[in-house]
Structures are given as C-alpha cells and as structure tokens.
Amino acid sequence: MNIRPALVSALSAVFTLGALAADKDAKPAPAKPAPAAAAPAAPAAPAFELKDPLATVDGAPVTIADVEKVLTTILAQQGATIAQVPAEMKPQLYRQVLDGVIVERLVTREAAKLEVTDAEMEAEFTKFKGQFPTEDEMKAQLAKGGQTPESIRVEIRRFLQQNRWLEAQVKDKSAVTDADAEAFYKGNPEQFKTPEQVRASHILIKCEKEAAEAEVKAKTEAAVKVLARVKKGEDFATLAGELSEDPSAKENKGDLNFFGREQMVPEFSEAAFAMKKGDVSAAPVRSQFGFHVIKVTDRKEAGTMPFDEAKPKLIGFLGEQKRKTETGKVLTALREKATVKVNLPDAPAAPAEAK
C-alpha cells in the first residue's frame, strides 16, 4: 500500500500530455504498407539492459531501485509483476515511470517549504487506515512492502505538500466561465442529445432460464397473482418491497429510475417502452432473470439537454480539462529549468522486414 506510486503515475501521465501539447511541430510517421506475404520469424529483440543511474536530476541520481519500487507497486495493483511485462513494452514503461519519478522529485523540492499541519496529515492517515479492517492488518500489509505507519505519514505529508503546490500554480488559470461552458455547449451539440427514456418499477419473481417446466409454471402463476393484486389497486411500491426478489427491492421499492432502451435486457425494454405513463404490463414479462411485473411511472422523449441543466457538470468537466492542461505546462516548465540527464537505453530497433 503506497501513496507515492499513484502520484508518480499521475504526474507521468500529465507531464506526457503537457509535453505532447507543447510539441506543435511533431508530425506522425508515415504508415508502413502491409507486407504482401507472411515474413519469416524475426530474430529476438536485444535485451533491454539497465545501468545505474537511470537518470540524474541536478546531479542527484535516480536509480533502478527508485524506479522499480514505484513500478512494482503500480503493476501489483493490476495483479502483475515486472517479470511478466513483455520485453518489447519495457522501454516505454520504464521511460514513463522514470519521467514520473523525475517530475515528482522536482515537485517535492518546490513544495518542501509548504506547511502541512499534523492535524491535516493525521486526518488523511485516518482515511488511509480506514481501508483496513484492523490496525494490525494495516501494519501487516505495510510490512510486506517494507513500510510502516510512520513512513506512510511521511508520504502523506509530502503528498499534501505536492498537491498544495500544484494547486497554487494552476488555480488562477483553470477557472471556467459561463461563457466558456456555453461556447462548448453550442459547439458540440451532439454531446447533449438525450435519448428517449422511461422510468419504471418492477416486481421480480426469479426463474432461471433453464428452469424445469414445473418450476416455470409455478413461477408464472406466482407472477400472475402479483399482477392481479396490482390491478386490484394495491400499492405497487409496497408490494415490491414485500414480494420482489430483486436484491435492491427492499431499498428502492422496485423503482429503477430513468433508463434508455439499451440499459435493460431486450425483453424488459421492449415491454416498458411500449407502455404509457401509468400503465402496468398486461402480463408478466419473462427475461433471463425471471418474471417481471412492470409499471411505467414516467417518460422522457428524445431531445437535447437544456444548457442550464448541462452547465454544472460541463463547468466541472472543462475545469478538470483546463487543470490537466495547465498542470502539464507547469511540469514541463519545471523540468526544462532543471538539468536532467536520462541514461535509459533506446528501445531496441525493430528487426528488418524480410524482402
């Protein structure tokens, strides 16, 4: 459980985006024509050999161990190890993580003087600790990675300093105005189209798709009895809470909220979208889950989301995009000011194609 790899990975991704945005003269390589016939097996690519230091940052070394500590944790979160990474992917992967480590060091240096109180650090540590069932389990898991609660506290303090410094660099540059949001809204009308939707409630009587004929008959009769009670005027929500075998029915009383045609299994959608507001299905509808008694409680026709409805989320989205762009610029400038020497070997050249 390590906080630092997550930040290194994020910084690496943002730095890469910023560098790409700055490289306005970059041109895509021409596409290679496909070979006319299958080529013979290519010889194995040369081994990707690493030598310390992988880089120096203003004279300070970044070692193989520094990078592989981060890389090991990132891969472990995906259930993988360095040994499982294909040889052809290692050059790019090591370079990306190395970039993140370099930028993280530069940000750490800039942020070192920012104050983070013990109370702020402990509040974050409490959240971290809450990921574990017990304190002993937390310590055991940390020990596996060579860490302790004290080392995590140090990382949390550094993490808070880094975030605080980065936020201060971009806060005045990432604001989004109503005019920005409206311009995006008008320029991207397709993104605000809303499909036809219905809101429905259901009462489910479970029945496996491959159930025996006798069980299907019994389940059908049970669903028909439920439908009869609904049609006699009993409260649908009350019946759903009492009788539905949908696991969520106790909480939502059968209400599925609004959904589009593609969000439900075809049999359910076909029935629901054929009904009017207030209608109850004429008969139980069978799907892979069983038999459904359906009531449509509302409908929304296809249309365009009004700007006022879209604006709050749109401002949030555009603000995040601006923040990423501005952060990329800050990190690129930070690295350009530093003396950085990268000693990673170039990726092995692709074997020549057979003629």
Side-chain angles (χ1 to χ4, degrees), residues 182-259:
E182 188 169 8
F184 186 93
Y185 177 84
K186 289 179 177 178
N188 299 272
E190 290 302 316
Q191 295 192 32
F192 302 95
K193 299 289 186 185
T194 55
E196 180 187 14
Q197 292 182 308
V198 301
R199 183 170 191 165
S201 296
H202 79 140
I203 298 169
L204 173 66
I205 304 299
K206 286 185 177 180
C207 184
E208 297 293 332
K209 192 173 182 180
E210 306 301 329
E213 185 177 345
E215 182 181 356
V216 173
K217 182 179 179 182
K219 296 288 187 176
T220 302
E221 290 175 354
V224 168
K225 288 180 180 178
V226 171
L227 179 59
R229 292 177 64 178
V230 171
K231 289 187 174 182
K232 285 181 180 178
E234 290 192 51
D235 182 66
F236 197 98
T238 301
L239 288 175
E242 293 175 358
L243 304 175
S244 181
E245 294 173 341
D246 181 333
S248 64
K250 298 299 180 187
E251 289 73 38
N252 63 21
K253 306 301 182 185
D255 180 25
L256 300 173
N257 213 323
F258 282 98
F259 55 87

Side-chain angles (χ1 to χ4, degrees), residues 68-119:
E68 290 192 341
K69 180 180 179 182
V70 174
L71 181 54
T72 296
T73 306
I74 292 172
L75 291 172
Q77 292 168 354
Q78 303 175 34
T81 66
I82 293 177
Q84 293 172 322
V85 177
E88 65 272 15
M89 291 180 61
K90 283 187 176 179
Q92 180 181 355
L93 186 59
Y94 271 81
R95 184 168 293 277
Q96 184 174 359
V97 175
L98 176 60
D99 282 341
V101 171
I102 290 169
V103 175
E104 192 258 356
R105 284 198 177 184
L106 293 171
V107 173
T108 296
R109 187 172 67 189
E110 295 294 321
K113 294 181 180 180
L114 294 182
E115 181 184 1
V116 172
T117 67
D118 289 346

Side-chain angles (χ1 to χ4, degrees), residues 328-341:
K329 291 178 182 177
V330 168
L331 298 182
T332 298
L334 193 62
R335 180 160 174 166
E336 287 176 348
K337 286 193 300 182
T339 302
V340 177
K341 182 180 178 182

